[in-house]
Amino acid sequence: MKWAKEQAKRSRVVDAQSPLAIVIPARDSCLSTTLRESDISRHDFLDRARNYRNYKEPKGIPWTLATPYKAGADGCCHTDVHNGDIVAWPTNLGWMMGRWLIYASLLNGGSAAL
């Protein structure tokens, strides 16, 4: 039954013709589905990420008490984030855009897709 639910979720991603999916197997199981050409397993994704660690390092961004409000205003005015929206931004939460994602989505009544 658990496998059937996971396959149903996966088929929704495939049916939506999403450009890329990072496939994470259920707890205590191995990847038991055939991936599309554009998809990647979690294991392969993490391997690729480890290879890029030496190429990109985050830059320090100064944060003040007003920064969350600025992120919220930017989310509303510049990226059209509003009540009920789901915002996704591929980033690390330790980087500036990770924090922007949290503040811009939640302060405008949206949700952050992590």
Side-chain angles (χ1 to χ4, degrees):
M1 177 114 181
K2 184 177 177 182
W3 182 83
K5 286 182 184 179
E6 290 169 11
Q7 285 300 105
K9 290 177 191 175
R10 171 105 175 104
S11 68
R12 289 175 61 190
V13 172
V14 172
D15 293 344
Q17 298 177 349
S18 69
L20 168 73
I22 299 170
V23 181
I24 303 171
R27 184 181 299 185
D28 298 331
S29 70
C30 61
L31 195 58
S32 61
T33 186
T34 303
L35 299 179
R36 297 176 301 165
E37 194 171 304
S38 62
D39 292 347
I40 184 171
S41 71
R42 176 181 180 268
H43 176 74
D44 291 341
F45 174 77
L46 293 175
D47 282 345
R48 288 183 190 180
R50 284 184 197 101
N51 292 336
Y52 286 104
R53 278 195 182 149
N54 297 329
Y55 297 106
K56 292 185 180 180
E57 288 296 324
K59 297 180 176 93
I61 303 289
W63 283 77
T64 68
L65 293 174
T67 304
Y69 300 108
K70 175 72 168 122
D74 288 348
C76 180
C77 298
H78 299 296
T79 54
D80 199 30
V81 178
H82 296 292
N83 190 28
D85 289 346
I86 300 172
V87 183
W89 195 284
T91 185
N92 180 316
L93 289 179
W95 289 28
M96 178 264 173
M97 289 307 292
R99 294 175 186 150
W100 177 90
L101 170 67
I102 300 299
Y103 291 121
S105 59
L106 298 181
L107 289 177
N108 288 300
S111 300
L114 301 176

